Amino acid sequence: SWRNSKDGKTIYGVLVTPPNYVPGTPTKMVVEIHGGPEWAWWSGWLGSWHEWAQMLATHGYVVFLPNPRGSDGQGTDFARAVGNDWGGMDYQDVMDGVDALIAQKVADPNRLGIGGWSYGGFMSAWAVTHGDRFKAAVVGAGPTDLVPFARITDTPDFPLGYYGDVTANMAAYDRSSSARMLANVRTP
């Protein structure tokens, strides 16, 4: 667990370490963001096609699986806290977790990657449009332009539940669209 630096909220996650990991040894790390946003990582076998933690750990990576705002596990208000705010406090939750792991000498700040599928892809794209801390990113099926996503998705109630009517709230959808910030990307 760690605390959000803006409001002090305690955030939880899972850390998967490589075999024979020595605590206090800064190690290459991948941050894997779960889909959803309402979903959660757990401590146990993660072996589906979009869950890479154990596979990456066997290749020497520490894998950080945060459960930021929007995740299950801390009540309804926590799960709904990303309404109209994808990439806001949820992103801060993730980055504060990364900072905590760097401070604890778990993660090497010069060898960080990020990735995820669906909402995890969204957050990965968001991260690389808001900084250059990550050396590589995997954006799997991430909604990076929320207006077209909301208009053509096969789950039309999904984006409406977070942002409301597309036409009435287009500015909010655009503010959370990493595709509008491509000029900021320096990360492959």
Side-chain angles (χ1 to χ4, degrees), residues 18 25-30 56 59-63 106-108 111-112:
T25 305
T27 303
K28 59 188 177 182
M29 183 174 83
V30 171
L56 287 172
H59 288 80
Y61 290 87
V62 166
V63 183
V106 171
D108 180 342
R111 297 188 300 163
L112 298 174

Side-chain angles (χ1 to χ4, degrees), residues 15-40:
L15 188 68
V16 180
T17 57
N20 303 315
Y21 173 74
V22 177
T25 305
T27 303
K28 59 188 177 182
M29 183 174 83
V30 171
V31 180
E32 187 179 359
I33 313 290
H34 63 67
E38 191 175 343
W39 198 64

Side-chain angles (χ1 to χ4, degrees), residues 71-94:
S71 301
D72 289 327
Q74 291 197 60
T76 302
D77 290 343
F78 188 81
R80 291 183 179 166
V82 294
N84 202 27
D85 189 38
W86 288 12
M89 290 296 273
D90 51 352
Y91 174 68
Q92 188 68 48
D93 292 341
V94 171

Side-chain angles (χ1 to χ4, degrees), residues 43-68:
S43 182
W45 177 249
L46 300 166
S48 185
W49 58 272
H50 61 86
E51 300 167 343
W52 318 318
Q54 277 86 8
M55 186 268 304
L56 287 172
T58 65
H59 288 80
Y61 290 87
V62 166
V63 183
F64 175 43
L65 307 168
N67 288 320

Side-chain angles (χ1 to χ4, degrees), residues 1 12 19 37 49 59 86 89 100 114 122 129 135 165 169 178:
S1 66
Y12 298 92
W49 58 272
H59 288 80
W86 288 12
M89 290 296 273
I114 190 167
F122 164 85
T129 59
K135 304 306 177 204
D165 178 71
N169 298 296
S178 58

Side-chain angles (χ1 to χ4, degrees), residues 148-159:
F149 167 68
R151 293 195 187 279
I152 63 173
T153 181
D154 60 345
T155 56
D157 290 343
F158 175 72

